[in-house]
Amino acid sequence: MFTGGQSGNTHEGNSQNAFIGMAMGQASKLFDQQSASGNVASGASKENVIQHAAESALKMCVVSIFIGAMADQIFRYMQSQGSSGGSSAGMSGLMGLASKFM
């Protein structure tokens, strides 16, 4: 299962696994509730619903990791330039870094 990618952070991996497991459990519970009420489309399967919930949760985890890594890189870049976050030099440095990704 997903364990936090390259970071090797066991706590982070456990949190992500817990989040994905929670999404799967909630999808299962919601499917059962809707099925009991007759609100499930014909041909819909509980397995597909749970799989889609797990995939969506995993995508959220990956995006979260990516955003965190980008924020870390921006912070390190700003520190290497000796700029404070509020100065105009800091903003031009940030724009220079952002232009590398466009």
Side-chain angles (χ1 to χ4, degrees):
M1 183 120 246
F2 188 70
T3 59
Q6 295 178 355
S7 70
N9 186 337
T10 306
H11 176 69
E12 182 179 289
N14 290 341
S15 296
Q16 291 163 350
N17 285 337
F19 177 69
I20 294 167
M22 182 179 64
M24 293 170 69
Q26 290 298 314
S28 176
K29 187 184 341 179
L30 183 60
F31 185 89
D32 289 342
Q33 290 172 350
Q34 295 301 312
S35 182
S37 301
N39 295 330
V40 175
S42 63
S45 75
K46 187 174 183 178
E47 291 79 18
N48 274 346
V49 169
I50 293 170
Q51 179 181 350
H52 286 348
E55 289 172 359
S56 295
L58 179 59
K59 287 176 186 177
M60 285 187 223
C61 290
V62 169
V63 168
S64 175
I65 291 169
F66 177 75
I67 290 171
M70 289 301 299
D72 186 53
Q73 290 299 316
I74 290 170
F75 179 72
R76 288 175 191 225
Y77 178 79
M78 299 290 283
Q79 280 186 326
S80 74
Q81 299 301 309
S83 304
S84 65
S87 70
S88 61
M91 288 309 290
S92 68
L94 181 59
M95 293 306 291
L97 179 63
S99 71
K100 293 179 182 181
F101 294 98
M102 294 181 180

